[in-house]
Amino acid sequence: MMGAGKTRVGKEVAHIMDLPFADADVEIQHDIGMGIPEFFEREGEPAFRKVEADLIADMLEDFDGIFSLGGGAPMTPSTQCALAEYIDRGGRVVYLDADPAEAMERANRGGGRPMLNGDADARWKKLYKERDPVFRRVANVRVRTRGQTPQMAARKVMDMIRERMVHVTGSGIEPYDVRIGEGTMNHLPDVLGEGVARVALIHTQPVQRHSDHARTLLRQAGYTVSDIVVPDAEAGKTVDVANGVWRRLGDEGFTRSDAIVGLGGGAATDLAGFIAATWMRGIRYVNCPTSLLAMVDASTGGKTGINTEAGKNLVGSFYTPAGVLADMRTLATLPNDIFIEGLGEVAKSGFIMDPEILRILEDHASELRSFDGAMFLDSGLKDVVAELIEHTVGVKAYHVSADLKEAGLREFLNYGHTLGHAIEKLEHFRWRHGNAVAVGCVYAAELSHLLGYIDQDLVDYHRSLLDSLGLPTSWNNGSWSDVLALMHRDKKARGNKLRFVVLESVGHPIHLEDPPADAVEEAFRRIQQ
Ligand SMILES: NC(=O)c1ccc[n+]([C@@H]2O[C@H](COP(=O)([O-])OP(=O)(O)OC[C@H]3O[C@@H](n4cnc5c(N)ncnc54)[C@H](O)[C@@H]3O)[C@@H](O)[C@H]2O)c1
Ligand SMILES: O=C(O)C(=O)C[C@@H](O)[C@H](O)[C@H](O)COP(=O)(O)O
């Protein structure tokens, strides 16, 4: 909006990011050879908008830097299309959302604004009403600047435009974004939206520091927050815990217009999503993953659920979050072993789809293996991890977008999980999920090899890569009959037939229906060594 500080803040952002800055109004005046008020007077608004739209389209093609648009520009349909294409090419369109009183005061101060002729405040308010919904729609970054100096606002803009983003869409999915970067939790109020009054913040005790931060953000934005601490890790994914949370929501009067925020590792986000899916048959929820595994996998895609006596994740639903905020600052407190566990799901995504993930893992194996949260944010590893998260969420989004309810393609994300879930259950969940998946991937590779799909080299590659990352590649703590019984309860099984995901090559998974019993058992013998 006029007076929001686009030029002032834009210049500041360009300065701190060492980028060129351009202002659409200055460029236009240069092109038309006169001031904008004069051009408005002589040619009228439609002629001005045409000149403006053409210039913006050219700049979005050719200019690399920070570009400030006039407040009316995004109202022109051709500019809306140009901005959408710019976003598709990886661009960031920032809506600088200022406090109306501050913006009106600044807009009136400067003068020379043809759109504010007459009663300037009334005109400003009318324009705001028309433009605000459009600005929200065309921008992929919204920065609230209430009470902030231009320098503070510029820092906020910079953090936000440096974020990585993966868009998740598809049939049956209300589109949402996974935002990855430092400070992405600041988006919580935007993602929750204005229709929500109460928020249940569901988290575990080890992430208290991060939930305190989230609670502050939520309270500052005006939400009534219920802080709900659930038992840690798999102990939280039970029907008793879910029942306790439902009771709290009932006691505190949660209605359909309220929301859940799930904050923590994958167990906490699985539980929070399940509560959101079931409370009043479904309320809005946002995930704030704080472990690597939850960032790359659990928080996205809408698989929510709890465990039962019969096995892992056997009760749940497909229920999509309104957004995922992977705030890399939370990784500063993550213990090394839990970080490494997350690499199990990262490697899985490399094996089934994205060789670039495998290349990054190979190139940085020893740094990743020595992950130290306390040093992380000031280290070069931060960008490597951000890239791994973006790639891995990209793999997840690809499968989920095409097949939300896991009719076929999405099952490929389950590579390594048929045995992995059985190991977790037989180990009474003392084995971490990502570690069990790592062994499960070696098992699936062995099975692929036994049936002639891949050669021994690729099986060996599974072992050497996972081992270089500090992940386990063997397991020898359970009987074959127990393992087999649990694999029959896997959700991919049909009737009494086992189904697996195996590989034909890196990036080419296939379904394997009812494989020969001796191969299934022999692959197990091979991971016991
Ligand atoms: N829904 C899905 O699509 C999906 C995908 C993959 C895994 N999962 C599920 O996710 C779970 C595994 O997730 P996980 O590996 O995050 O385990 P987890 O949730 O058990 O978290 C591991 C431990 O790390 C702690 N922790 C998390 N973030 C921390 C931080 N920043 N600082 C300090 N401690 C932190 C947790 O409190 C916990 O003690 C499993 O239940 C698995 O089934 C779900
Ligand atoms: O999103 C999916 O689909 C997956 O299979 C991702 C897995 O990495 C994840 O562990 C998931 O929780 C497993 O789901 P399940 O259906 O096998 O319980």
Side-chain angles (χ1 to χ4, degrees), residues 204-207 210 232-234 237 264-270 290-294 297-300 302-304 307 312-313 330-335 338 341-342 345 396 410 417 421 424 432-434:
T204 60
Q205 190 278 326
V207 295
H210 309 302
D232 196 32
E234 299 301 314
K237 281 176 66 170
T269 57
D270 273 12
T290 61
S291 69
L292 178 66
L293 191 141
D297 194 345
S299 56
T300 302
K303 265 192 182 177
T304 73
N307 307 322
K312 179 116 198 206
N313 297 344
T330 63
L331 295 180
T333 57
L334 192 69
I338 298 173
E341 173 218 358
E345 293 283 18
K396 180 110 188 195
R410 182 171 181 164
H417 283 63
H421 282 331
E424 284 185 86
R432 307 219 49 77
H433 178 72

Coordinates of all heavy atoms in Angstrom, one line a residue, residues 204-207 210 232-234 237 264-270 290-294 297-300 302-304 307 312-313 330-335 338 341-342 345 396 410 417 421 424 432-434, ligand 1:
T204 N 6.3 -31.6 22.9 CA 6.8 -32.4 23.9 C 7.8 -31.6 24.8 O 8.1 -30.5 24.4 CB 7.6 -33.6 23.3 OG1 8.6 -33.1 22.5 CG2 6.7 -34.5 22.5
Q205 N 8.2 -32.1 25.9 CA 9.0 -31.3 26.8 C 10.4 -31.0 26.2 O 10.9 -29.8 26.4 CB 9.1 -32.1 28.2 CG 9.7 -31.3 29.3 CD 11.3 -31.3 29.2 OE1 11.8 -32.4 28.8 NE2 11.9 -30.2 29.6
P206 N 11.1 -31.9 25.5 CA 12.5 -31.5 25.1 C 12.5 -30.3 24.1 O 13.6 -29.8 23.9 CB 13.0 -32.8 24.4 CG 12.2 -33.9 25.0 CD 10.8 -33.3 25.3
V207 N 11.4 -30.0 23.6 CA 11.4 -28.8 22.6 C 10.8 -27.6 23.3 O 10.4 -26.6 22.5 CB 10.8 -29.2 21.3 CG1 11.6 -30.2 20.5 CG2 9.3 -29.6 21.4
H210 N 11.5 -24.1 22.0 CA 10.9 -23.7 20.7 C 9.4 -23.5 20.9 O 8.9 -22.6 20.2 CB 11.3 -24.7 19.7 CG 12.7 -25.1 19.6 ND1 13.7 -24.1 19.4 CD2 13.4 -26.2 19.9 CE1 14.9 -24.7 19.5 NE2 14.7 -26.0 19.7
D232 N 6.9 -37.7 25.3 CA 7.9 -37.6 24.3 C 7.9 -38.8 23.3 O 7.6 -39.9 23.8 CB 9.3 -37.4 24.9 CG 10.3 -36.9 23.8 OD1 9.8 -36.2 22.9 OD2 11.4 -37.3 23.9
A233 N 8.3 -38.6 22.1 CA 8.5 -39.6 21.1 C 7.3 -40.6 21.0 O 6.2 -40.2 21.0 CB 9.8 -40.4 21.4
E234 N 7.6 -41.9 20.8 CA 6.5 -42.8 20.5 C 5.5 -42.9 21.6 O 4.3 -43.3 21.4 CB 7.0 -44.2 20.1 CG 7.9 -44.2 18.9 CD 7.2 -43.7 17.6 OE1 6.1 -44.1 17.3 OE2 7.9 -42.9 16.9
K237 N 2.4 -41.2 20.9 CA 1.5 -41.7 19.8 C 0.6 -42.8 20.2 O 0.6 -43.9 19.7 CB 2.3 -42.1 18.6 CG 2.9 -40.9 17.8 CD 3.8 -41.4 16.6 CE 3.2 -42.2 15.5 NZ 4.1 -42.4 14.4
G264 N 7.5 -30.2 17.1 CA 8.4 -31.2 17.7 C 8.9 -32.1 16.6 O 8.9 -31.8 15.4
G265 N 9.3 -33.3 17.1 CA 9.7 -34.4 16.2 C 8.5 -35.0 15.5 O 7.4 -34.5 15.7
G266 N 8.8 -36.0 14.6 CA 7.7 -36.6 13.8 C 6.6 -37.2 14.7 O 5.5 -37.2 14.3
A267 N 7.0 -37.7 15.9 CA 6.0 -38.3 16.7 C 4.9 -37.2 17.1 O 3.7 -37.4 17.1 CB 6.6 -39.0 17.9
A268 N 5.5 -36.1 17.5 CA 4.6 -35.0 18.0 C 3.7 -34.5 16.8 O 2.5 -34.2 17.0 CB 5.4 -33.8 18.6
T269 N 4.3 -34.3 15.6 CA 3.5 -33.8 14.5 C 2.5 -34.9 14.0 O 1.4 -34.5 13.6 CB 4.4 -33.3 13.3 OG1 5.3 -34.3 12.9 CG2 5.2 -32.1 13.7
D270 N 2.9 -36.2 14.1 CA 1.9 -37.2 13.7 C 0.7 -37.2 14.7 O -0.5 -37.3 14.2 CB 2.5 -38.6 13.8 CG 3.3 -39.1 12.6 OD1 3.5 -38.2 11.7 OD2 3.6 -40.3 12.5
T290 N 10.7 -29.9 14.3 CA 12.0 -29.5 14.9 C 13.1 -30.5 14.8 O 14.2 -30.2 15.3 CB 11.8 -29.1 16.4 OG1 11.3 -30.3 17.1 CG2 10.7 -28.0 16.6
S291 N 12.8 -31.7 14.3 CA 13.9 -32.7 14.1 C 14.1 -32.7 12.6 O 13.2 -32.4 11.8 CB 13.5 -34.1 14.6 OG 12.5 -34.6 13.8
L292 N 15.3 -33.2 12.2 CA 15.5 -33.3 10.8 C 14.5 -34.2 10.1 O 14.0 -33.9 9.1 CB 17.0 -33.9 10.5 CG 17.3 -34.1 9.1 CD1 17.4 -32.7 8.3 CD2 18.6 -34.8 8.9
L293 N 14.2 -35.4 10.8 CA 13.3 -36.3 10.2 C 11.9 -35.7 10.0 O 11.3 -35.9 9.0 CB 13.2 -37.6 11.0 CG 12.5 -38.7 10.4 CD1 13.1 -40.1 10.7 CD2 11.0 -38.8 10.8
A294 N 11.5 -35.0 11.0 CA 10.2 -34.3 10.9 C 10.2 -33.3 9.8 O 9.2 -33.1 9.1 CB 9.7 -33.7 12.2
D297 N 10.3 -35.2 6.3 CA 9.3 -36.2 5.9 C 8.0 -36.1 6.7 O 6.9 -35.8 6.2 CB 10.0 -37.6 6.2 CG 9.2 -38.8 5.6 OD1 8.1 -38.6 5.3 OD2 9.8 -39.9 5.6
A298 N 8.1 -36.3 8.1 CA 6.8 -36.5 8.8 C 5.8 -35.3 8.8 O 4.6 -35.6 8.8 CB 7.2 -36.8 10.3
S299 N 6.3 -34.1 8.7 CA 5.4 -33.0 8.8 C 4.6 -32.7 7.5 O 3.7 -31.9 7.6 CB 6.3 -31.7 9.2 OG 7.3 -31.5 8.2
T300 N 5.1 -33.3 6.4 CA 4.4 -32.9 5.1 C 3.7 -34.2 4.6 O 4.1 -35.3 4.8 CB 5.5 -32.5 4.1 OG1 6.2 -31.4 4.7 CG2 5.0 -32.2 2.8
G302 N 0.5 -35.2 5.1 CA -0.9 -35.5 5.7 C -1.1 -36.9 6.2 O -2.2 -37.2 6.6
K303 N 0.0 -37.7 6.3 CA -0.2 -39.0 7.0 C -0.1 -38.7 8.5 O 0.9 -38.2 9.1 CB 0.9 -39.9 6.7 CG 0.6 -40.9 5.6 CD 1.6 -42.0 5.5 CE 1.3 -42.9 4.3 NZ 2.3 -44.0 4.2
T304 N -1.3 -38.8 9.2 CA -1.3 -38.6 10.6 C -1.6 -39.9 11.3 O -2.3 -40.8 10.7 CB -2.4 -37.6 11.0 OG1 -3.7 -38.2 10.9 CG2 -2.4 -36.3 10.1
N307 N 0.1 -45.3 17.1 CA 0.4 -46.7 17.1 C -0.6 -47.5 18.0 O -1.3 -46.9 18.8 CB 1.8 -47.0 17.8 CG 2.9 -46.1 17.1 OD1 2.9 -45.9 15.9 ND2 3.8 -45.6 17.9
K312 N 2.8 -50.3 14.3 CA 3.1 -48.9 14.1 C 2.1 -48.2 13.2 O 1.8 -48.7 12.1 CB 4.5 -48.9 13.6 CG 5.0 -47.5 13.3 CD 6.2 -47.1 14.1 CE 6.2 -45.6 14.0 NZ 7.4 -45.0 14.2
N313 N 1.7 -47.0 13.5 CA 0.8 -46.2 12.7 C -0.4 -46.9 12.1 O -0.8 -46.6 11.0 CB 1.7 -45.7 11.4 CG 2.8 -44.8 11.8 OD1 2.9 -44.3 12.9 ND2 3.7 -44.6 10.9
T330 N 15.6 -24.3 15.1 CA 15.3 -25.3 16.1 C 16.3 -26.4 16.1 O 16.5 -27.1 17.1 CB 13.9 -25.9 15.9 OG1 13.9 -26.6 14.6 CG2 12.8 -24.8 16.0
L331 N 17.0 -26.6 15.0 CA 18.0 -27.7 14.9 C 19.2 -27.4 15.8 O 20.0 -28.3 16.1 CB 18.5 -27.9 13.5 CG 17.4 -28.3 12.5 CD1 18.0 -28.5 11.1 CD2 16.8 -29.6 12.9
A332 N 19.3 -26.2 16.3 CA 20.5 -25.9 17.2 C 20.5 -26.7 18.5 O 21.5 -26.8 19.2 CB 20.5 -24.4 17.5
T333 N 19.3 -27.2 18.9 CA 19.2 -28.0 20.1 C 19.1 -29.5 19.8 O 18.9 -30.3 20.7 CB 18.0 -27.6 21.0 OG1 16.8 -27.7 20.2 CG2 18.1 -26.1 21.4
L334 N 19.2 -29.9 18.6 CA 18.9 -31.3 18.2 C 20.2 -32.1 18.5 O 21.2 -31.8 18.0 CB 18.5 -31.4 16.7 CG 18.0 -32.8 16.3 CD1 16.6 -33.0 16.9 CD2 17.9 -32.8 14.8
P335 N 20.0 -33.2 19.3 CA 21.1 -34.1 19.6 C 21.6 -34.8 18.3 O 20.9 -35.0 17.4 CB 20.6 -35.1 20.6 CG 19.3 -34.5 21.1 CD 18.8 -33.6 20.1
I338 N 19.9 -38.0 16.9 CA 18.5 -37.8 16.3 C 18.7 -37.1 15.0 O 17.9 -37.3 14.1 CB 17.6 -37.0 17.3 CG1 17.5 -37.9 18.6 CG2 16.2 -36.8 16.7 CD1 16.8 -37.2 19.7
E341 N 19.7 -40.0 12.6 CA 18.5 -40.8 12.3 C 17.7 -40.2 11.1 O 17.3 -40.9 10.2 CB 17.6 -40.8 13.6 CG 16.3 -41.5 13.4 CD 15.2 -40.8 14.1 OE1 15.4 -39.8 14.8 OE2 14.0 -41.3 13.9
G342 N 17.6 -38.9 11.1 CA 16.8 -38.2 10.0 C 17.4 -38.5 8.7 O 16.7 -38.5 7.7
E345 N 15.8 -41.2 6.4 CA 14.7 -40.9 5.4 C 15.3 -40.1 4.3 O 14.7 -40.1 3.1 CB 13.6 -40.1 6.2 CG 12.8 -41.0 7.2 CD 11.8 -41.9 6.6 OE1 11.9 -42.3 5.4 OE2 11.0 -42.4 7.4
K396 N 9.0 -35.9 -1.4 CA 7.8 -36.2 -0.7 C 6.6 -35.5 -1.4 O 5.6 -36.1 -1.7 CB 7.9 -35.7 0.7 CG 6.7 -35.9 1.6 CD 6.9 -37.0 2.6 CE 5.6 -37.3 3.3 NZ 5.8 -38.1 4.5
R410 N 2.5 -43.3 -4.1 CA 2.9 -42.8 -2.8 C 3.6 -43.9 -2.1 O 4.4 -43.7 -1.2 CB 1.8 -42.2 -2.0 CG 2.2 -41.7 -0.7 CD 1.2 -40.9 0.1 NE 1.8 -40.4 1.3 CZ 1.3 -39.5 2.1 NH1 0.2 -38.9 1.7 NH2 1.9 -39.1 3.2
H417 N 10.4 -49.4 4.7 CA 9.6 -49.4 5.9 C 8.9 -50.7 6.3 O 8.5 -50.8 7.4 CB 8.5 -48.3 5.7 CG 9.0 -46.9 5.8 ND1 9.9 -46.4 5.0 CD2 8.7 -45.9 6.7 CE1 10.2 -45.1 5.4 NE2 9.4 -44.8 6.4
H421 N 9.4 -50.9 10.1 CA 8.3 -50.8 11.2 C 8.3 -52.0 12.1 O 8.1 -51.9 13.3 CB 6.9 -50.7 10.5 CG 6.6 -49.3 10.0 ND1 7.1 -48.1 10.6 CD2 5.8 -48.8 9.0 CE1 6.7 -47.1 10.0 NE2 5.9 -47.5 9.0
E424 N 11.1 -51.6 14.6 CA 10.7 -50.6 15.7 C 9.8 -51.3 16.7 O 10.0 -51.1 17.9 CB 9.9 -49.4 15.0 CG 10.8 -48.4 14.3 CD 9.9 -47.3 13.9 OE1 9.7 -46.3 14.7 OE2 9.5 -47.3 12.7
R432 N 15.3 -46.0 16.9 CA 14.7 -44.8 16.3 C 14.2 -45.1 14.9 O 14.8 -46.0 14.2 CB 15.7 -43.7 16.2 CG 16.3 -43.3 17.6 CD 16.5 -41.8 17.7 NE 15.2 -41.2 17.4 CZ 14.2 -41.2 18.2 NH1 14.2 -41.7 19.4 NH2 13.0 -40.6 17.8
H433 N 13.1 -44.4 14.4 CA 12.5 -44.7 13.2 C 13.5 -44.7 12.0 O 13.5 -45.6 11.2 CB 11.3 -43.7 12.9 CG 10.6 -43.9 11.6 ND1 9.8 -44.9 11.4 CD2 10.6 -43.1 10.5 CE1 9.3 -44.8 10.1 NE2 9.8 -43.7 9.6
G434 N 14.2 -43.6 11.9 CA 15.1 -43.4 10.8 C 16.2 -44.5 10.7 O 16.6 -44.9 9.6
Ligands
LIG1 N1 3.6 -38.8 8.9 C1 4.6 -39.2 8.2 O1 4.6 -39.1 6.9 C2 5.9 -39.7 8.8 C3 7.0 -39.8 8.1 C4 8.2 -40.2 8.7 C5 8.2 -40.5 10.0 N2 7.0 -40.4 10.7 C6 7.0 -40.6 12.2 O2 7.9 -39.7 12.8 C7 8.4 -40.3 14.0 C8 9.9 -40.1 14.0 O3 10.2 -38.7 14.1 P1 11.5 -38.2 14.8 O4 12.6 -38.9 14.3 O5 11.5 -36.8 14.7 O6 11.3 -38.8 16.3 P2 10.6 -38.1 17.6 O7 9.4 -37.4 17.3 O8 10.5 -39.3 18.5 O9 11.8 -37.1 18.1 C9 13.0 -37.6 18.5 C10 13.4 -37.0 19.8 O10 14.0 -35.7 19.5 C11 13.4 -34.7 20.3 N3 13.5 -33.5 19.5 C12 12.9 -33.2 18.4 N4 13.3 -32.0 17.9 C13 14.2 -31.5 18.8 C14 15.0 -30.4 18.9 N5 15.0 -29.4 18.0 N6 15.8 -30.2 20.0 C15 15.9 -31.2 20.9 N7 15.2 -32.3 20.9 C16 14.4 -32.5 19.8 C17 12.0 -35.2 20.5 O11 11.4 -34.6 21.6 C18 12.3 -36.7 20.8 O12 12.8 -36.9 22.1 C19 7.9 -41.7 14.0 O13 6.8 -41.8 14.8 C20 7.5 -42.0 12.6 O14 6.6 -43.0 12.4 C21 5.9 -40.0 10.2

